[in-house]
Amino acid sequence: MNSYQKAADLVKQSNHTTAFTGAGISVQSGIPDFRSENGLWKNYDPQIFSISYLSQKPAKTWSAIKEIYYEFFVDSQTNSAHKILAEMEKNNLLDAIITQNIDNLHQEAGSVNVIEYHGNSKKAICLDCGAEFNDLELLLNNIPPVCSECGGILKPDFIFFGEPIPQKAHQLAYLEAEKADLFIIIGTAGEVQPAGQIPFYAKENGAKIIEINLKKSNYSDELTNIFLKGQAVEALQKLANNLGISLE
Ligand SMILES: [Zn+2]
């Protein structure tokens, strides 16, 4: 039996399967890994994306957000890896996705139970009154955008440097890690903290671990039961074949 057959058997036998995704699943959608050489933040001073900077110079922060949005996010499309996970959920083979990505692509592919550990790049929230805005592209017409309710400063709904993880996302992620008897790591090496700790918690609570990555990671030797080497799209396609799942 090869690794993909073994992985497929684990998926079929599992009562609760949680996927944990990172930048690697969206690279083939044209969104670069922000930690890599061509990374998203390379051309920007990280302090621009802090609450204190945003409060003082919202136009500067929002100009950078606008550039990043139009360079990377506006044309990004779901890829087969996102779609296969959505199809697995429809077939009761996947219960939840915890994602570190802010690109909204899991939802666009049709996944329902998605926990966004680092927030979402398509929404914004008012720092003063908490009002939420769902169309970032519209907001980008006026830099800096202001709250239509109170005139306050808006912040994109992804976490800035130095900001804590949203409490609800954190609680839901740990609940899904605890419930999982199978935990599938996809396209993340566990370098970003505290997100990187979640798979360890899953393992401590009894989950078997499948890992899909281009190369071995912080997880591979310590946690991983089955390592599937490759890009997310190709590896999930092979797994899907072994599960009898096909995309339209
Ligand atoms: Zn407001």
Side-chain angles (χ1 to χ4, degrees):
M1 213 195 277
N2 69 35
S3 300
Y4 285 93
Q5 290 169 324
K6 285 181 196 160
D9 278 354
L10 284 185
V11 172
K12 287 180 202 160
Q13 289 158 10
S14 169
N15 288 315
H16 196 100
T17 300
T18 301
F20 178 62
T21 66
I25 199 168
S26 292
V27 166
Q28 286 158 295
S29 290
I31 299 174
D33 181 347
F34 69 83
R35 301 183 69 83
S36 75
E37 245 175 76
N38 300 313
L40 212 53
W41 311 120
K42 189 188 68 169
N43 299 321
Y44 301 94
D45 179 352
Q47 72 151 346
I48 293 177
F49 303 100
S50 66
I51 298 280
S52 60
Y53 194 97
L54 171 67
S55 303
Q56 284 157 28
K57 297 180 180 170
K60 279 210 155 179
T61 301
W62 274 99
S63 295
I65 291 163
K66 185 171 183 171
E67 281 176 25
I68 289 169
Y69 181 81
Y70 280 103
E71 188 169 358
F72 297 109
F73 288 97
V74 71
D75 292 327
S76 65
Q77 307 237 323
T78 59
N79 65 49
S80 306
H82 301 109
K83 290 175 190 164
I84 287 164
L85 292 183
E87 203 58 32
M88 284 173 68
E89 186 182 23
K90 280 194 199 105
N91 286 278
N92 295 317
L93 294 169
L94 182 66
D95 296 277
I97 297 172
I98 304 163
T99 188
Q100 298 164 81
N101 300 337
I102 59 172
D103 54 33
N104 204 49
L105 293 178
H106 285 304
Q107 292 92 327
E108 285 172 31
S111 288
V112 178
N113 191 15
V114 181
I115 299 155
E116 297 179 299
Y117 205 67
H118 292 154
N120 186 301
S121 66
K122 305 274 164 101
K123 299 181 204 162
I125 192 158
C126 175
L127 288 177
D128 290 344
C129 76
E132 289 180 30
F133 299 86
N134 289 320
D135 190 345
L136 191 93
E137 201 165 340
L138 188 70
L139 296 173
L140 292 175
N141 288 332
N142 293 301
I143 299 294
V146 292
C147 177
S148 57
E149 305 290 320
C150 77
I153 292 172
L154 298 185
K155 176 189 165 291
D157 197 21
F158 56 82
I159 62 161
F160 273 19
F161 292 102
E163 256 195 303
I165 301 300
Q167 200 177 18
K168 190 179 166 207
H170 183 75
Q171 285 170 346
L172 286 173
Y174 272 77
L175 189 65
E176 290 296 343
E178 190 178 313
K179 283 198 284 191
D181 42 41
L182 180 62
F183 196 84
I184 309 177
I185 297 167
I186 306 166
T188 175
E191 289 161 338
V192 180
Q193 302 304 340
Q197 293 303 313
I198 299 170
F200 289 92
Y201 187 74
K203 184 83 174 188
E204 280 164 24
N205 282 275
K208 292 221 167 84
I209 310 281
I210 295 172
E211 177 183 351
I212 296 171
N213 266 325
L214 277 175
K215 55 182 186 199
K216 283 198 165 188
S217 72
N218 297 339
Y219 302 125
S220 307
D221 292 332
E222 206 170 334
L223 301 185
T224 301
N225 296 100
I226 299 178
F227 185 76
L228 305 176
K229 181 178 162 62
Q231 292 274 15
V233 165
E234 286 75 19
L236 278 172
Q237 189 61 64
K238 285 187 205 164
L239 181 63
N241 293 344
N242 281 283
L243 288 168
I245 285 179
S246 61
L247 299 175
E248 293 301 304

